[in-house]
Amino acid sequence: MAAVTLLHNPRCSKSRQALALLEAAGVTLTVRRYLDEPLSREELTSLQSKLGGAVLDWTRTKEAAFGAAGLSREAGDGALLDAMAAHPILMERPVAIVGDRAVVGRPPERVQELL
């Protein structure tokens, strides 16, 4: 089993639940508190390819930073990625990554898809 990286916000109950599921599974785990250690634009682009789909699907559009950044639901992927790099709170959490695959852990049990 490859190592799992969890992009984690300890203040989020879903993120804490996903972390508990991964720890219970006994996987090799790296936890990255993405609010304290934001992803670069390049890392976000890589994450987009691992998640697949539109960036809007893993953007927190109800965050105040979304509107403050001048974004709308019609914003393109590039604008959303730039905004996430500047305001990491805009990224949905948690995100589990294994190799070239990633899932948003909503619900938290989705992280088990990577195991």
Side-chain angles (χ1 to χ4, degrees):
M1 173 74 209
V4 177
T5 298
L6 183 69
L7 302 177
H8 177 59
N9 178 352
R11 296 187 64 186
C12 171
S13 64
K14 302 293 184 203
S15 195
R16 291 191 308 268
Q17 290 170 13
L19 177 60
L21 287 169
L22 292 168
E23 288 174 337
V27 299
T28 301
L29 182 62
T30 300
V31 176
R32 180 171 176 179
R33 291 180 164 194
Y34 69 94
L35 294 177
D36 298 331
E37 185 184 341
L39 280 71
S40 68
R41 175 63 159 79
E42 293 76 24
E43 289 173 307
L44 289 164
T45 300
S46 175
L47 182 59
Q48 176 187 14
S49 69
K50 294 173 184 181
L51 286 167
V55 175
L56 188 63
D57 295 341
W58 47 285
T59 302
R60 297 179 58 85
T61 59
K62 295 181 182 175
E63 288 290 336
F66 186 80
L71 298 172
S72 71
R73 295 187 66 76
E74 289 74 38
D77 286 351
L80 293 170
L81 291 171
D82 288 342
M84 275 187 217
H87 309 282
I89 193 72
L90 292 175
M91 189 177 76
E92 189 62 80
R93 76 265 182 165
V95 176
I97 306 164
V98 175
D100 63 353
R101 299 180 312 139
V103 297
V104 174
R106 290 200 170 256
E109 293 77 17
R110 287 210 57 219
V111 299
Q112 294 172 321
E113 295 173 15
L114 297 176
L115 304 181

